[in-house]
Amino acid sequence: MAGGVIAVIIRIIGGGAVLVALLAFSFSTVLAVALHGDGLGTLGSYDWQAVRFTIWQALASTGLSVGIAVPVARALARQDFKGRSLLITLLGAPFILPVIVGVLGLLAVFGRAGWISQGLDLFGLDRLSIYGPAGVILAHVFFNLPLATRFILQGWASIPPDRFRVADSLGAQPWTQFQLIEWPMLRAMLPGTFLLIFLLCLTSFAVALAIGGGPRGTTIELAIYQSFRLDFDLGKASSLALIQFVICGTVAALAILIPLPRNDGHGLGLIHTRQDVQSNRIIDFGFISITAAFLILPLASIVIRGAIHLPELPNAVFAAAWTSLWIALISTSLCIGMALSLALSFARTGQTTQKLVEVVGILGLATSPLVVGTGLFLMIFPFAHPMSLAVPVTAMVNAMMALPFALRVLFPAIRDTYVDYIRLRESLMMSSGTWLWKVILPRLSKPLGFAAGLAAALSMGDLGVIALFADPDLQTLPLMLYRLMGAYRMDQAAAVAVVLVAQSLALFWIFDRGGRRHATS
Amino acid sequence: MNNITLFAGLFLASAAVADTPVLTVYTYDSFISDWGPGPAVEAAFEATCGCDLQMVGAGDGAALLARIRLEGSRSEADIVMGLDTNLTHAASETGLFTSISTAADYTVPGGWNNSLFAPFDWGYFAFVHNTDLESPKNFKELAASNLKIIIQDPRSSTPGLGLLMWVKAAYGVEAASLWAELADNIVTVTAGWSEAYGMFLEGEADMVLSYTTSPAYHIIAEGDASKKYAKFDEGHYMQIEVAGKLASTDQNALADQFLDFMVSDAFQDIIPTTNWMFPAVTPAAGLPDGFPKALPDSQSLIFSPSEAAAIRTGALEEWQAALSQ
């Protein structure tokens, strides 16, 4: 028994350490920046306008992304078709694209010179112009709808297929089935998914500006950028970063208030064999094809644009690909380590505590990357040369940014495994080691694979703080891409984008597939 | 035995490195990229200085200044290269820079006279378009046309700020109304130059804010003569990029040597076809074929650093007000 108590204490300390690190990472970086300036600064009317626009566009973009993701995920959950697995993998793609690549891909389809405009032109119609708030939302839906779909699909996969069979045999109507079986799952999945997507839209800045059509598209992140870069008003930058925290905290609190129904069963992640499959074929495939087209056309344009220039790439691309790969692997291990440590430590605590932990977990995403980078720089600078720490800092920041996604995937899975197997453990007097290695981890392989895939791909695509801590000899793929663009070499940059997309997707696929294979064997 | 040799080798090698003085130059990121002037500049300087030249990239010019302000007098940098005259006023105010004696026969329109900074290149902002388009002659004509342009945000981009100053220099108190007239020509405002130029090349707009030297890149590097810039009769605003020496340097003599090298032909020859800007001192070999000509002084607009600093906030508010309608 004493061993058990010690194990519990160790776990609590481990989880607590991660929480403290997260708080230090987010709040202390803001504090460091504020202290370097003259405390917090006051905001002008344009700053408040930016705050309003940010909240408005983030709510609209998130609502639309999550709203569309529900029927798409439902369609993917119950329909089987050729290429389904490939499409699910591709859902991970837009999320990991460097912003500029994604925007150019979208414009190749929806832009003034895009495919749709060219088509309209043929019929003598006006060209499409998406610039403005509608374009910003379109772009955010492009970047985030696939991710939301992936999350909600996980939820559908967790419903035991027996339930539908039982419901069918009892003659339950589709609407009743939805209310009794699917709605509880959605109620559990949606708040967390909404929160994550909201945060991604909240901190977006280049997308909003590039397609926003002018200073109306100013987000808080751009205002932070301005106060830091143009005015060197660190106080104002910290105030804006705090406002970003407050918005995120408010939305998180709302998400917390919604009570979670207990997930009381497990799916096998199989396609549901349900009676309503046939009757909904048309609607389902409508959703699937529109989403797939919306997703694949811009991606295809990126690949078509870049692939022919691949032979022109200098050898430096190999080094950059290698650097990106191992930074991604380090940050993935860090991220998964932190997520597991948190989830295992708090798996048996009450629902409210678990939700609080998840909220602290999202701090990494609620913080302005520029403020985090600057804060870390200020904290490291008195003790060491920041440049010499470029790799660990970049890996750590990437891990922190990916942590909310990993937690979102792992936490429910661990919680459910505990609920289902804890009695077995007690009755067999299983040791902690056996419990962890023989019961918990095998049951986690699927969510672990997905979480690791997300973390790795996210790290790969992120320009990250490496630009701020620039070590001249260390070039990642995103950095190389931006440098090529900055040197007029748009063709070669497009080719690097292809390498980046291919490498990120491959890594995502290996982790995700690895997890899925392990689960079924 | 092998291990001992290896160990001795490593030890000697590191001792040799330790004896070599290191000069640290902070500059903007695109300067040190494989496609920028950095690699050639490093090779040329190290061939003569008996030193190790370490160039560290930090974002763009404005990010570079922010970096120096964060590091203060404890910075490891000896030289900061890549600020422009929109930033030099704020840079002087930090008190981190010390006066230099670098002198050369500068070919910068309007001349150069500043004790803290020496110029290494310069350029004119301009709207670039395809040759099949007839250029508007000035801002008024552009505003009256249906031409679509992509510009950069002055809050996050150097050319964006340059355009703000350009309109202010050309139109003074009427700048606000000119922006209002231009509003319907602006497709979008991007965060940086790369996004804007990329979108222009993909056909999203008729013209993009860039430099008069941009078509030269396409002509010289790609053999593509399909781009030109629109010559505006109000004149073109200039960007002058400069370098300064930090007062906290521990390599005083080497830093001076670098600044002298910076205005010599060995450095200036590299600039036109790597940084795609005019060299601050025209090298003996002249400018490469395909490079544009400098404009007469009367057409070369620029505010002094202190004027630029004083005007900026007001001009930015005008811009925001006019384009937020």
Side-chain angles (χ1 to χ4, degrees), chain B residues 7-196:
Chain B
F7 179 78
L10 282 176
F11 179 77
L12 291 176
S14 61
V17 167
D19 278 346
T20 313
V22 175
L23 183 74
T24 308
V25 175
Y26 281 12
T27 182
Y28 46 78
D29 193 69
S30 65
F31 196 95
I32 60 158
S33 92
D34 289 348
W35 308 275
V41 164
E42 186 174 345
F45 188 60
E46 285 181 350
T48 58
C49 72
C51 71
D52 177 14
L53 175 62
Q54 291 198 349
M55 288 196 277
V56 178
D60 66 354
L64 181 60
L65 178 59
R67 169 77 170 265
I68 287 297
R69 290 168 100 159
L70 284 179
E71 296 191 357
S73 55
R74 295 184 44 247
S75 176
E76 281 193 14
D78 302 298
I79 299 271
V80 175
M81 177 171 68
L83 306 175
D84 65 21
T85 48
N86 280 325
L87 299 166
T88 47
H89 180 74
S92 319
E93 300 266 285
T94 63
L96 295 170
F97 291 86
T98 187
S99 56
I100 52 175
S101 55
T102 316
D105 193 6
Y106 298 121
T107 42
V108 181
W112 183 257
N113 186 17
N114 187 309
S115 60
L116 288 182
F117 300 99
F120 63 93
D121 67 14
W122 60 278
Y124 298 107
F125 295 110
F127 286 96
V128 171
H129 59 83
N130 288 325
T131 41
D132 56 12
L133 183 90
E134 198 183 331
S135 312
K137 303 237 171 349
N138 48 48
F139 280 110
K140 288 274 184 198
E141 212 175 294
L142 169 61
S145 75
N146 288 324
L147 293 174
K148 294 290 180 192
I149 59 173
I150 296 179
I151 62 172
Q152 298 88 358
D153 196 307
R155 296 168 293 175
S156 55
S157 145
T158 304
L161 186 58
L163 177 63
L164 194 72
M165 293 297 170
W166 185 5
V167 171
K168 199 73 197 163
Y171 286 89
V173 289
E174 288 169 44
S177 61
L178 183 86
W179 278 115
E181 287 172 46
L182 276 176
D184 61 349
N185 299 92
I186 299 171
V187 171
T188 197
V189 182
T190 64
W193 176 89
S194 302
E195 288 100 315

Side-chain angles (χ1 to χ4, degrees), chain A residues 46 100 111-113 131 209-210 213 215 218 222 226 229-232 305 377 385 468 470 483-485 488, chain B residues 29 35 57 60 62 67 69 71 76 148 155-156 187-189 193 195 202-204 214 217 312 316 321 323:
Chain A
Y46 283 114
I100 174 72
R112 293 184 66 248
Y131 297 94
L209 197 61
T218 301
L222 176 69
Q226 176 191 355
R229 198 178 154 283
L230 197 59
D231 306 329
F232 202 69
R305 172 83 176 78
F377 187 93
H385 201 305
L468 205 68
R483 284 179 172 168
L484 280 165
M485 287 196 81
Y488 289 94
Chain B
D29 193 69
W35 308 275
D60 66 354
R67 169 77 170 265
R69 290 168 100 159
E71 296 191 357
E76 281 193 14
K148 294 290 180 192
R155 296 168 293 175
S156 55
V187 171
T188 197
V189 182
W193 176 89
E195 288 100 315
E202 300 299 324
E204 284 300 300
S214 298
Y217 167 78
R312 198 187 68 208
L316 191 60
L323 296 191

Side-chain angles (χ1 to χ4, degrees), chain A residues 390-411:
Chain A
V391 171
V393 169
T394 306
M396 193 65 195
V397 171
N398 287 350
M400 291 275 188
M401 301 245 174
L403 184 61
F405 303 96
L407 272 182
R408 186 91 275 278
V409 177
L410 286 176
F411 225 147

Side-chain angles (χ1 to χ4, degrees), chain B residues 284-307:
Chain B
L287 292 171
D289 286 341
F291 229 70
K293 299 273 177 292
L295 301 170
D297 281 5
S298 63
Q299 296 277 297
S300 306
L301 312 176
I302 192 159
F303 288 116
S304 74
S306 54
E307 278 174 318

Side-chain angles (χ1 to χ4, degrees), chain A residues 162-202:
Chain A
D162 299 352
R163 299 237 168 121
F164 292 104
R165 242 172 276 144
V166 172
D168 282 338
S169 66
L170 293 174
Q173 293 303 304
W175 175 244
T176 318
Q177 291 200 17
F178 178 79
Q179 275 180 306
L180 290 178
I181 304 174
E182 296 169 299
W183 175 240
M185 177 281 293
L186 282 177
R187 221 181 63 181
M189 286 303 292
L190 290 184
T193 307
F194 188 93
L195 183 58
L196 277 187
I197 307 283
F198 179 80
L199 287 181
L200 286 173
C201 298
L202 188 71

